[in-house]
Amino acid sequence: MSVAPVVSLPHPLVGAVEQIESALDRMPLSAWAGLEPAKVQGLVERLMRVEARVKAQQVAGTRALDASGLAKSRGASSTGAMLAGAFGGDRRAGDQMVNMGKALQSASRTEDALARGEIGPSQAAIIAGAIADLPDDTTPEQKQACEDTLIGDACRFSLKDLRSRSRRITDQFKPTPEVDAVENQNLERQESEAWRRAEFWMVDNRDGTHRGGFVLPDAQADMLRTAVEAISAPRRDHLHDDSPAAESYYDRDLTHRHRLGMGFAELCGHLPADQLPGKGGLGATLIVRLDHDTLVHGIKAATLSTGTRLSAGQARQMACRLGIIPQVFNGKSLPLDHGHEQRTFTKTQRQALENRDGGCTYPGCDRPPEWCEAHHWNTSWADGGETRLEDGVLVCPFHHRTIHDTGTTIRMSPLDGHPEYRSPGTDVWKRNHRWRP
């Protein structure tokens, strides 16, 4: 009697990887040129989610590989080094995958969301870090609530906003005063450590230029970035014809990096800060937002106009010593409305718009306030509109043109008063999602 041979079926993961490779073999790069742009956009977005799903599998596999000890048995210094030697040669990328695997091990819901393509690797790393930083006495139910909240926030917020939101995620199970106090303490510690890590270096290139680099605390980096971006903003009109950069600045072939470099060079020529050139009456002005209790008692964190959170102590110091404009809430207000006789928005109105909008209000745009213009959204000034705060929205020059060219409709949300946009031919109102602490 003959015995049937035993057929060994491949492991599901082996078969799945082979299918992925086979599918990619059937995707010639030249085929993209023949598709409609809208279909190309849809496919690229789907591939971004596929990439996230593949990354989740890579991370899970790397974690299993690291736990096996194979790298050590083969004489490699680490699992990351072994993977780098097998493909790509980037040991840092290999080490990052190992570290991400360890971080996601304690954030299983985040790893599952990554595996489903609901979030990207950078978002997953932020959420996993936030979960790892939760207090030791956090219960499993509280941890789950925090993780689910951040996974839901990831689809709406930019990475910067998601990171800021994650630092206050304990508001899911702690009272607001306690969350405020903990955040302020963490920021004080972070700021102290950041000052100790500050660095600056500069080298003569011996060709009329210098090159350099620096490490700055967040608040001071935001001050520098705000000034440089104000000088380098599109539609810049404050450069005089005798400026060394005046002619070359408007070269369409300039990269954004070179424009910023030219802006930085001009900044150095206009120190001290109270003599910096500006745009729209604000320019390189950085605003620190704090409530009255913070100003008086120093117990609650504040926010820069760039979105950076900082401790109450540093906010009070910046407000009173460094020439930074304080925007204090629950205190005496400033006049924000003007009639038809005044066409442009005032400096005070611009500051109020920056606080409300945080940058360009057009859905999906991430341009900072320094790049934006105040737009009469309700009735244009030429048609009799008044220059009042509620009639203004911040938009970048590109989307300012888009609004006029397409006839996009704008309204103030009946729920919270933030601007919402509706494209012609649709009934859907959209808005720019920014996290506002």
Side-chain angles (χ1 to χ4, degrees):
M1 182 177 179
S2 61
V3 179
V6 177
V7 179
S8 178
L9 297 176
H11 190 281
L13 288 176
V14 176
V17 172
E18 290 176 349
Q19 290 175 356
I20 293 174
E21 291 174 335
S22 177
L24 291 172
D25 289 339
R26 298 192 303 271
M27 295 175 60
L29 298 178
S30 58
W32 289 98
L35 285 175
E36 298 177 358
K39 185 164 289 187
V40 171
Q41 178 188 359
L43 289 175
V44 170
E45 290 174 354
R46 289 173 63 184
L47 283 174
M48 291 169 66
R49 297 188 182 278
V50 170
E51 181 184 20
R53 302 181 69 178
V54 171
K55 175 61 72 173
Q57 296 293 339
Q58 282 183 315
V59 168
T62 301
R63 184 169 57 230
L65 184 61
D66 191 53
S68 72
L70 182 64
K72 183 177 180 180
S73 67
R74 291 191 173 179
S77 59
S78 67
T79 300
M82 182 176 68
L83 291 173
F87 179 77
D90 189 349
R91 176 172 177 173
R92 183 170 60 177
D95 290 339
Q96 287 175 344
M97 205 139 56
V98 173
N99 294 333
M100 189 172 185
K102 294 177 180 178
L104 288 176
Q105 197 166 16
S106 301
S108 59
R109 301 172 79 87
T110 302
E111 188 170 39
D112 289 342
L114 181 64
R116 292 191 299 268
E118 297 175 358
I119 60 176
S122 297
Q123 295 167 319
I126 292 173
I127 297 172
I131 300 305
D133 289 339
L134 288 174
D136 294 336
D137 58 352
T138 305
T139 67
E141 292 77 18
Q142 292 169 341
K143 172 185 172 183
Q144 178 177 322
C146 293
E147 196 170 359
D148 289 343
T149 298
L150 290 175
I151 291 172
D153 288 340
C155 67
R156 300 185 297 127
F157 295 153
S158 67
L159 289 180
K160 181 177 180 179
D161 286 342
L162 181 63
R163 188 175 293 107
S164 297
R165 177 70 183 94
S166 71
R167 291 169 181 160
R168 285 184 60 90
I169 193 56
T170 53
D171 64 6
Q172 295 299 299
F173 60 90
K174 288 179 179 290
T176 298
E178 186 175 344
V179 176
D180 289 337
V182 170
E183 182 191 24
N184 193 58
Q185 291 171 2
N186 290 337
L187 287 169
E188 287 179 341
R189 182 178 64 255
Q190 178 179 305
E191 289 162 1
S192 178
E193 294 172 352
W195 276 102
R196 287 194 293 268
R197 294 199 303 270
E199 296 179 1
F200 179 85
W201 62 269
M202 191 163 59
V203 177
D204 189 349
N205 289 328
R206 303 184 185 280
D207 61 357
T209 65
H210 280 67
R211 69 182 185 277
F214 55 80
V215 176
L216 290 177
D218 286 345
Q220 285 66 36
D222 281 341
M223 294 169 65
L224 176 61
R225 183 187 298 109
T226 300
V228 172
E229 288 186 341
I231 299 172
S232 308
R235 293 193 183 182
R236 186 179 75 159
D237 56 8
H238 56 260
L239 273 183
H240 301 295
D241 292 338
D242 58 353
S243 168
E247 181 177 353
S248 58
Y249 183 86
Y250 294 98
D251 184 349
R252 293 176 180 268
D253 294 331
L254 274 180
T255 66
H256 179 61
R257 181 171 177 173
H258 284 117
R259 288 181 186 274
L260 291 178
M262 293 164 63
F264 182 57
E266 174 129 348
L267 170 65
C268 294
H270 283 84
L271 298 175
D274 59 0
Q275 298 179 18
L276 290 175
K279 176 179 172 62
L282 288 182
T285 302
L286 193 62
I287 300 174
V288 57
R289 303 172 185 139
L290 62 164
D291 61 25
H292 192 258
D293 286 341
T294 300
L295 186 65
V296 176
H297 303 296
I299 57 174
K300 184 177 178 182
T303 309
L304 294 181
S305 55
T306 56
T308 295
R309 298 282 278 174
L310 66 160
S311 67
Q314 183 163 179
R316 296 169 71 189
Q317 179 189 26
M318 293 173 70
C320 68
R321 292 183 56 196
L322 302 182
I324 305 302
I325 293 181
Q327 197 167 59
V328 183
F329 297 92
N330 300 326
K332 184 178 179 180
S333 62
L334 296 172
L336 298 176
D337 294 335
H338 295 270
H340 182 71
E341 289 74 15
Q342 179 164 314
R343 177 177 182 274
T344 59
F345 288 88
T346 67
K347 181 177 181 179
T348 300
Q349 289 175 309
R350 278 288 307 240
Q351 292 166 2
L353 288 174
E354 285 195 1
N355 172 69
R356 186 194 69 192
D357 297 341
C360 180
T361 58
Y362 198 89
C365 185
D366 62 354
R367 294 303 189 191
E370 297 77 30
W371 285 51
C372 295
E373 303 162 346
H375 168 63
H376 290 79
W377 68 270
N378 192 5
T379 303
S380 69
W381 186 84
D383 294 330
E386 296 185 356
T387 305
R388 300 180 303 174
L389 178 62
E390 58 264 32
D391 292 327
V393 294
L394 286 187
V395 287
C396 68
F398 175 81
H399 286 121
H400 202 169
R401 292 190 296 269
T402 299
I403 292 168
H404 286 288
D405 293 344
T406 63
T408 298
T409 304
I410 306 174
R411 74 173 184 182
M412 293 298 167
S413 169
L415 297 178
D416 56 13
H418 286 284
E420 296 181 336
Y421 291 74
R422 185 179 66 186
S423 300
T426 69
D427 295 326
V428 180
W429 290 95
K430 298 182 179 180
R431 65 189 299 172
N432 191 311
H433 293 285
R434 285 188 172 89
W435 183 70
R436 297 172 175 84

